[in-house]
Amino acid sequence: MEQPSPLYLQLLGETARIEWRELEKFFARGVLLHVTRELDLVSVAEAMASDASQQVAAWLAGGLLERMSADTAADYASRSPSLWAVVVSPWVLVQERPA
């Protein structure tokens, strides 16, 4: 098994559980990205931070990474699910985790 990179470990340490109400301002600014459960949140953050544009483009094209939609935001606001987030400036990446 390959060892995680120092960047991965740094981003992992910056990842935290967060409530939707704390993310609403980032949604309003248009800087909130939704990462599907099929991907590792920290791996996506690492790819974005290291400018792996082809990989990020593939995730975007496949719908695995997307700007947070109003429908998803409304769903999160109504359910208050378990969310994890990490910042890769200017973006905030968020992923729903099983409760």
Side-chain angles (χ1 to χ4, degrees):
M1 186 170 180
E2 189 176 319
Q3 292 290 339
S5 72
L7 177 57
Y8 183 96
L9 293 173
Q10 176 189 343
L11 291 165
L12 180 62
E14 295 171 1
T15 302
R17 188 176 186 292
I18 192 165
E19 299 291 325
W20 171 250
R21 61 184 160 70
E22 297 174 73
L23 292 169
E24 288 178 318
K25 62 185 168 200
F26 300 106
F27 172 70
R29 291 192 355 226
V31 297
L32 192 60
L33 297 179
H34 177 253
V35 179
T36 65
R37 290 184 192 176
E38 291 83 9
L39 298 176
D40 175 59
L41 176 66
V42 180
S43 292
V44 174
E46 179 183 32
M48 291 181 70
S50 61
D51 200 26
S53 56
Q54 287 184 328
Q55 181 61 68
V56 172
W59 288 328
L60 288 165
L64 298 171
L65 173 66
E66 61 187 0
R67 200 175 283 230
M68 179 71 67
S69 71
D71 289 342
T72 302
D75 176 53
Y76 285 179
S78 69
R79 290 187 302 119
S80 250
S82 177
L83 300 173
W84 288 85
V86 62
V87 175
V88 179
S89 191
W91 303 104
V92 178
L93 285 69
V94 64
Q95 185 176 56
E96 182 176 355
R97 295 291 176 97

